[in-house]
Amino acid sequence: MSPAATAPSHGPNQARVDSWVWAVRLFKTRSAAAAACRGGHVRVNGATAKPAQPVRPGDEVRVRSGGVERIVIVERVITKRVGAPIAAQCLIDRSPPPPPKEILASLPKRDRGTGRPTKRERRETDRLLGRTDD
């Protein structure tokens, strides 16, 4: 690990949020991290973050990616991408566990590309889920 990759106690103690979430491997590319910030999918301490917003140790970062929300606490600030074991030491993962596969399998899904449901299909779905007014 290079000395520039971590922020020692005597050096800078903050980094851009897009750079940090990329460096700790929450995103595959830095441009994807910046796009997520611009799209409102990254929050720092509860507020929507722009790509250049600084993060410091102790900040809570919430990242919504792939339909899953990750909640992490900044443990150490890094700006360069490092190996996975080192990146894991730079954050504390507070994400909730994923739902069981049984629950995911029981949720109704529409086939991709079928468009919006018709009125008849919506009524059938409501009846199946017990949301009828009858």
Side-chain angles (χ1 to χ4, degrees), residues 1 8 10 20 24 29 37-38 47 50 60 65 73 89-90 93 98 106-107 109-110 119-120 127 132-133:
M1 184 170 67
H10 61 276
W20 187 81
V24 296
T29 63
C37 290
R38 284 191 299 273
K50 292 184 178 180
E60 179 189 69
S65 175
I73 308 294
Q89 296 173 356
C90 297
D93 196 355
S106 68
L107 294 176
K109 284 190 176 180
R110 291 182 55 81
K119 193 172 192 178
R120 180 179 180 183
R127 201 172 302 118
T132 60
D133 293 331

Side-chain angles (χ1 to χ4, degrees), residues 27 34-35 37 39 50 57 67 69 77-78 83 96 99 107 120 125 134:
F27 286 98
C37 290
K50 292 184 178 180
E69 184 172 41
V77 176
I78 59 173
L107 294 176
R120 180 179 180 183
T125 304
D134 297 351

